[in-house]
Amino acid sequence: MRKYLYHLLAVFCLISACKSGASWPEPELDDHHEIIGFYNVENLFDTIADSQINDSEFLPGSRLDWNSEKYLKKLDQLATVIEKMGHPVVMGLSEIENRQVLEDLVAQPALKEAEYEIAHINSSDPRGIDCALLYQKGHFLVDSQYLVRAYNKGGSNPGRQQLIVEGRWQNGKATTFAVNHWPSRRGGVDQSEHKRISAARNLFITLFERHDLDEDYIIIMGDFNDEPSNTSVLKTLNAGPEPAKDYQFVNLSFPEFTAGKGSYNYRGNWNMLDQIIVSKPFTHCGDGFCMQDAKVYRAPDLLFRHPKFGLSPNRTAGGPNYYGGYSDHLPVYAPIQFQTASNTEM
């Protein structure tokens, strides 16, 4: 029976993945704004064996029979999503294998006009899944980048790590990006919570030591594997729903979360695991440099109707089954304003 259900689900996913002609919504964007985005792209792996990591699941002959055709299809799909989002000036990514897959991604025809540069450092994750930042060199310049341990699991191997990128916009404003992929909920939400609290604590301490959190421009994005109201995000990272004195950061994804929306569907329940969080200076729009509420980017091609759990992200694979979809997460984005209506020069 389980095998039959797997095959039934695969048919639903493949039908969804093959549909065409569905409209792609334009991001909700006002004049004088650009887009900041984040996307957990679900295991963007090449087909080449790497002895330094456990990538056996994504190789020719594996149970997924991962091959060049499937890899190239996924690159094309992801590039299409980023294009349809309006070529965000900065795009955070998680679950990418190495720099080469990023090079292959930005070389896709749908992304060439954006002229994306890459910020990435190989992490120590045993599976080799890293975080990265794509940025348009006409808008943002990188000064430095480094990694922060996500979970203090002990031993010399730090495991999954967070990417910190420091740079400046063409308007001169210095900004730090933190791209996150916190430990999963495997084993249970409560049983694994301490790992995400550890990741939040490590990130907060790092930013506190290097920045004036009340004055500097900081954008924290990622798949946190917790929701905005969970302890790790709300209390440890101290990211609240509004720029109140009780919170150090403002979670731009809180309004969508409160409205019952989400970026990840777990057995019929939408969870807002993917979020965009900013330091308080980003909430002051008087000088024409600020950010607004984050949105989940929902497009028909990114979803399929699960026979049991309803609309869900149209994923690439699940267990031993290849479905051919985009990702098991939906992207999120937030508008960033660089100028006022009276000042059209950035």
Side-chain angles (χ1 to χ4, degrees), residues 37-198:
F38 172 80
Y39 197 9
N40 179 330
V41 296
E42 189 201 347
N43 294 319
L44 179 55
F45 277 71
D46 60 27
T47 62
I48 303 170
D50 185 341
S51 61
Q52 302 301 310
I53 62 173
N54 180 15
D55 62 352
S56 59
E57 187 177 0
F58 293 92
L59 295 174
S62 68
R63 62 179 183 172
L64 291 178
D65 193 24
W66 193 247
N67 55 37
S68 296
E69 181 181 359
K70 293 174 180 178
Y71 174 56
L72 292 175
K73 177 181 179 180
K74 187 168 179 73
L75 288 172
D76 177 69
Q77 289 174 319
L78 297 178
T80 298
V81 176
I82 297 172
E83 177 194 26
K84 297 301 184 181
M85 290 177 68
H87 290 126
V89 291
V90 174
M91 187 79 188
L93 303 173
S94 70
E95 293 202 16
I96 58 99
E97 182 186 12
N98 51 41
R99 186 179 181 90
Q100 185 58 57
V101 300
L102 295 167
E103 298 280 3
D104 293 344
L105 177 61
V106 301
Q108 295 298 299
L111 299 185
K112 281 189 175 180
E113 69 178 72
E115 296 185 314
Y116 281 119
E117 297 286 339
I118 297 168
H120 167 258
I121 302 173
N122 279 327
S123 77
S124 300
D125 180 75
R127 288 189 56 233
I129 52 173
D130 300 341
C131 294
L133 195 75
L134 306 182
Y135 59 96
Q136 292 188 24
K137 60 183 179 182
H139 288 272
F140 190 71
L141 300 173
V142 169
D143 294 326
S144 63
Q145 55 183 308
Y146 57 94
L147 296 175
V148 174
R149 184 192 296 260
Y151 166 49
N152 294 328
K153 65 176 184 178
S156 58
N157 188 332
R160 188 181 295 177
Q161 293 162 288
Q162 306 167 74
L163 176 68
I164 312 296
V165 179
E166 298 175 342
R168 48 201 159 81
W169 300 99
Q170 292 287 3
N171 65 3
K173 297 285 189 180
T175 298
T176 294
F177 286 89
V179 189
N180 300 266
H181 187 191
W182 289 1
S184 75
R185 294 181 164 193
R186 183 174 299 170
V189 176
D190 294 338
Q191 292 80 359
S192 61
E193 182 182 42
H194 69 283
K195 299 179 181 179
R196 294 181 293 281
I197 289 176
S198 173

